Amino acid sequence: MTTWDRAAQTGGKSTQATPAAVHPPPRGGRVGRSLAGLGMGLLLPALLLAGWEAGAALSVIDTRLLPPPSRVLGTIAELAASGDLTLHAAATLWRVAVGFGLGVLAATLLGALTGYSEGAKRLLDPTLQALRNIPSIAWVPLFILWFGIFETSKVMLIAVGVFFPVYLNLASAIRDVDRKLVEVGRVYNLSHFQMVRRILLPAALPAYVVGLRGGLGLGWMFVVAAEIMGASEGLGYLLVDGQMTGRTHVILAAIVLFALFGKATDLILAGVGQRLVSWQDGFKSAR
Amino acid sequence: MLRLKNVSRRFANGYLALDGIDLAVDRGEIVGIVGGSGCGKSTLLRLVAGLDHPTGGAVELDGAPVEGPRLDIGVVFQEPRLMPWLTIRDNVAFGLSHLGRAERDALVEGALARVGLAGFAKALPRQLSGGMAQRAALARALVAKPGVLLLDEPFSALDALIRMDLQEHLLHVWASEPAGERPTLILVTHDIEEALVLSDRVVVMRGNPGRVHGQYRVDLPRANRRSHSDFPAVRERLLEELRAASRPREPGETSRGGVTTARPLAPAF
Ligand SMILES: Nc1ncnc2c1ncn2[C@@H]1O[C@H](COP(=O)(O)OP(=O)(O)O)[C@@H](O)[C@H]1O
Ligand SMILES: [Mg+2]
């Protein structure tokens, strides 16, 4: 050890650099700018809503077909007060969460496998690509026969929807990982599993997060489909119920709730993803 | 002792990148390898690293064939190749996952201090300049104290001052070990000066197929070679050899490939 220390005194001197050269990323300015951007983005929707409300008040719009925003908000408030909102939202969120979890799990295992192993890719990828070409809704009758009309078939449908964007993004991202980094892994004699865990998955993470967000979006799409096909609770049930009973304000309330929950879950995922890939040295990805 | 015995490498497309390379490198020796671009230097290094396998002959370290990458053979590439998602500390610790945390932290801390990056342990690679990143890569390779360190044009992407700085640093690390425990260094470079400043011996290669054109012992004192009065002449002489090795062969002329006698360079002057 002492001989190495001597090198530090002699050789280290000329290569000294100050830690001060590493700046923490500036924070305040970015938040301020994104708030300003948000303000701009809200301008148009706010104008449209005001016009819509005014149109309904002046009887320019038939409120039976298009109830005003205030009525839609009121419906949401009523749903919340009666406890129905919790019931329906919880049912839908639970289905999305379980379906998303299952889809992501399967996609991650298979994506990592076919991305890493040429043999696995040749074996599995053509089949998966062929299955991808089947519009997922087409599975519904089969799933209902297989899994019954209750939760399992719904969750499976969502999982299938979530699977493909996650699988495709992960597999192609792993195949695109810089060969030079993989070679470093080989120099350090990593096992196949270590190579996947220590190099391929981290390197593929940015594309994986993109896949997760795409998958989540499809998850929300398929939960609507699944619940429209038949459900006794859930936001999708509110859509069907509103249609059956001719209550357009209930339909619109359900749509608004879908949008809110969809956006909220995406923001959470994006936030978590942003933290995980903040090491990126991209044009706008990390600053 | 590292031995290449009649090593050949023919690629799948039929191209013969290396043809009958014989080379012996003593423990603790510094050997520079120079030669025109595409003459097979990187291929040779990859064979020694165990990243690739010869199609003929054998690579042996201390009598046993090198069959794959091993922890006592380190590699530094032309690019730093740091994992962009790991801090500098974790990058340097990359090959130490078999050690306990305390031992690993101590080794990494020492290695970072030696390359002058002590204050950058928590920085990410993207926050480092090219020279700093390459120093981190050097620390990553040296931290495990490999018996053999292979360097493939490690400083060629850096500007002249930083390059000289790192050459100095490499020599210091090498020389600071007791004579019997110094790592064997094999340095591929296209910079003749770099080869002369660092090496005990310079191997000149010729390409297509890759062969050893000649080997030259550098008989200059280690300290301050660049300012030695014989340095320009020695460099001129090596440059001539490199030119000769790069000239296309006359039809019918056979290569002198496989020449292994180390002809002294300095005594010629
Ligand atoms: N995988 C490969 N397949 C076919 N030819 C290759 C391969 N790798 C390298 N070569 C060829 O072998 C020759 C030597 O390459 P390399 O060892 O990288 O040269 P150097 O490092 O000396 O510039 C070059 O002509 C290169 O094109
Ligand atoms: Mg090369």
Side-chain angles (χ1 to χ4, degrees):
Chain A
M1 215 48 210
T2 50
T3 48
W4 289 79
D5 291 338
R6 215 179 310 136
Q9 286 157 14
T10 49
K13 209 185 312 158
S14 52
T15 53
Q16 239 5 291
T18 51
V22 177
H23 300 292
R27 292 217 166 260
R30 196 170 113 221
V31 172
R33 237 178 302 130
S34 67
L35 276 181
L38 198 62
M40 281 295 283
L42 286 175
L43 191 63
L44 190 60
L47 283 177
L48 283 175
L49 285 173
W52 177 5
E53 187 74 45
L58 299 171
S59 302
V60 183
I61 294 171
D62 181 351
T63 54
R64 271 174 310 156
L65 292 181
L66 192 58
S70 56
R71 179 91 174 85
V72 176
L73 281 181
T75 308
I76 292 176
E78 284 162 29
L79 285 169
S82 68
D84 283 358
L85 177 60
T86 317
L87 173 77
H88 295 303
T92 298
L93 278 171
W94 186 85
R95 285 170 190 142
V96 172
V98 177
F100 183 72
L102 288 176
V104 166
L105 186 68
T108 305
L109 291 176
L110 286 173
L113 192 62
T114 61
Y116 183 58
S117 151
E118 193 57 32
K121 184 192 172 200
R122 275 200 291 262
L123 183 69
L124 296 169
D125 199 55
T127 309
L128 291 170
Q129 294 289 349
L131 288 175
R132 184 168 77 103
N133 288 320
I134 302 170
S136 303
I137 309 286
W139 292 108
V140 167
L142 201 57
F143 281 7
I144 287 178
L145 287 180
W146 283 353
F147 306 118
I149 55 165
F150 298 110
E151 291 310 311
T152 313
S153 59
K154 295 186 181 58
V155 165
M156 288 307 290
L157 181 66
I158 295 165
V160 168
V162 169
F163 176 84
F164 284 104
V166 179
Y167 167 77
L168 292 172
N169 273 283
L170 181 60
S172 79
I174 285 183
R175 273 193 286 277
D176 289 346
V177 170
D178 190 349
R179 192 187 50 76
K180 293 175 170 171
L181 294 185
V182 175
E183 207 166 66
V184 172
R186 291 191 54 211
V187 166
Y188 287 101
N189 227 342
L190 298 191
S191 67
H192 291 297
F193 176 74
Q194 289 172 325
M195 189 73 96
V196 170
R197 190 178 62 78
R198 298 187 61 192
I199 295 185
L200 298 177
L201 283 183
L205 199 60
Y208 184 60
V209 170
V210 172
L212 288 179
R213 291 179 67 184
L216 184 64
L218 281 182
W220 279 104
M221 205 160 113
F222 284 102
V223 79
V224 177
E227 290 180 346
I228 285 182
M229 310 284 175
S232 51
E233 79 272 300
L235 297 176
Y237 163 80
L238 284 184
L239 287 176
V240 179
D241 190 47
Q243 185 208 354
M244 300 287 207
T245 55
R247 292 180 296 160
T248 44
H249 55 273
V250 174
I251 298 180
L252 281 169
I255 289 176
V256 169
L257 288 169
F258 268 123
L260 286 178
F261 283 117
K263 186 71 192 171
T265 50
D266 183 56
L267 278 179
I268 293 170
L269 198 54
V272 173
Q274 181 64 48
R275 280 184 163 274
L276 289 177
V277 302
S278 61
W279 48 265
Q280 266 190 111
D281 193 9
F283 171 50
K284 275 192 177 161
S285 55
R287 203 77 55 82
Chain B
M1 167 111 107
L2 179 71
R3 279 198 101 99
L4 281 77
K5 292 182 176 165
N6 197 21
V7 165
S8 301
R9 178 66 170 101
R10 187 184 289 281
F11 285 113
N13 62 3
Y15 183 75
L16 186 59
L18 294 176
D19 182 25
I21 304 277
D22 278 304
L23 192 64
V25 182
D26 284 330
R27 179 168 286 278
E29 195 180 358
I30 306 183
V31 170
I33 298 183
V34 297
S37 151
C39 73
K41 306 182 295 293
S42 295
T43 305
L44 182 83
L45 224 52
R46 292 173 54 81
L47 293 177
V48 178
L51 289 169
D52 191 10
H53 300 284
T55 45
V59 180
E60 290 178 359
L61 182 57
D62 300 327
V66 173
E67 272 156 353
R70 26 196 284 185
L71 294 179
D72 58 342
I73 303 182
V75 184
V76 177
F77 299 96
Q78 181 174 354
E79 326 77 19
R81 302 198 186 184
L82 302 173
M83 303 299 149
W85 55 89
L86 294 180
T87 60
I88 298 308
R89 171 192 290 137
D90 291 343
N91 265 294
V92 172
F94 194 82
L96 302 178
S97 49
H98 55 288
L99 299 180
R101 188 172 185 90
E103 191 179 356
R104 190 170 58 206
D105 286 353
L107 280 173
V108 170
E109 205 172 303
L112 282 175
R114 276 193 298 281
V115 295
L117 288 177
F120 292 86
K122 288 181 187 150
L124 286 169
R126 67 180 160 89
Q127 295 170 296
L128 265 54
S129 69
M132 284 155 71
Q134 193 63 329
R135 269 189 268 157
L138 202 54
R140 177 177 65 187
L142 288 169
V143 73
K145 301 202 178 180
V148 178
L149 183 59
L150 310 171
L151 305 109
D152 192 354
E153 308 201 13
F155 310 135
S156 65
L158 308 172
D159 58 55
L161 283 178
I162 296 174
R163 192 184 320 157
M164 283 161 63
D165 207 37
L166 284 183
Q167 290 164 359
E168 283 290 303
H169 172 69
L170 185 63
L171 267 187
H172 269 296
V173 170
W174 176 84
S176 61
E177 289 286 311
E181 291 167 31
R182 288 177 186 157
T184 307
L185 302 187
I186 301 186
L187 171 81
V188 164
T189 175
H190 59 239
D191 177 352
I192 287 188
E193 253 185 51
E194 180 167 278
L196 284 176
V197 166
L198 295 176
S199 312
D200 297 310
R201 181 158 51 116
V202 178
V203 175
V204 177
M205 285 180 67
R206 62 156 70 228
N208 195 18
R211 289 179 178 158
V212 173
H213 169 81
Q215 303 189 34
Y216 309 92
R217 189 154 294 287
V218 185
D219 280 336
L220 297 174
R222 264 223 173 281
N224 273 328
R225 273 190 185 167
R226 238 182 273 269
S227 45
H228 193 279
S229 58
D230 282 347
F231 190 80
V234 173
R235 187 185 52 201
E236 205 46 47
R237 172 79 201 287
L238 187 60
L239 196 57
E240 254 167 52
E241 288 296 341
L242 193 60
R243 279 203 202 97
S246 306
R247 255 195 303 272
R249 253 156 283 171
E250 305 284 328
E253 182 193 351
T254 52
S255 162
R256 288 185 290 157
V259 176
T260 49
T261 47
R263 279 179 286 154
L265 206 52
F269 300 92

